[in-house]
Amino acid sequence: MSKFSAQVSLLFIVVALVGAFVPVFSVDEGEVKTLWDTCLVKITPKCALNIIAVVFGNGTLSDLCCSDLVKEGKLCHDTLIKYIAYRPSLIAHETEYLKKRDEVWNHCVSISKTL
């Protein structure tokens, strides 16, 4: 039960991070609902946070998280990173983050083919 509670807590943290990083003026309500309904339920909160840490910082990504990312799909990955990268305080480095997003995706696809 404790493990389940921890996972639920991490899920809420991911949702809070996404909400905090999403600029209100660029969010289409339908896209946010789609992101929640089809994307965030496919990946563990821990992996979501690790992916964000890799794209926007110096995090590391496990093979298991790469597998989850590929299962989540490129559209979901691109959408989540786009929302965070378009935050006003990050927009100046948007190109770097989108490049890193693509590098992470390509790396995970290549790893998932060997698993």
Side-chain angles (χ1 to χ4, degrees):
M1 188 69 172
S2 172
K3 185 177 179 182
F4 177 74
S5 296
Q7 289 177 337
V8 170
S9 296
L10 278 173
L11 181 61
F12 284 120
I13 291 170
V14 169
V15 171
L17 283 172
V18 170
F21 284 115
V22 175
V24 175
F25 56 85
S26 71
V27 176
D28 175 29
E29 221 173 281
E31 286 181 324
V32 172
K33 182 170 178 9
T34 300
L35 180 65
W36 174 258
D37 290 345
T38 61
C39 298
L40 291 177
V41 296
K42 293 181 182 178
I43 194 163
T44 65
K46 180 181 177 187
C47 285
L49 291 173
N50 286 343
I51 292 163
I52 291 168
V54 169
V55 174
F56 294 96
N58 294 321
T60 58
L61 199 56
S62 70
D63 291 353
L64 181 61
C65 286
C66 271
S67 178
D68 283 356
L69 175 62
V70 172
K71 288 177 189 170
E72 176 190 48
K74 182 150 177 51
L75 180 62
C76 289
H77 175 62
D78 289 352
T79 303
L80 177 62
I81 299 304
K82 176 188 79 170
Y83 280 145
I84 297 170
Y86 287 178
R87 183 171 186 222
S89 63
L90 299 175
I91 196 87
H93 301 284
E94 170 196 0
T95 305
E96 293 171 40
Y97 298 135
L98 297 181
K99 180 181 176 194
K100 185 68 174 179
R101 172 197 71 188
D102 293 339
E103 290 171 0
V104 168
W105 175 259
N106 293 332
H107 170 75
C108 287
V109 167
S110 69
I111 285 179
S112 68
K113 289 179 182 179
T114 63
L115 296 178

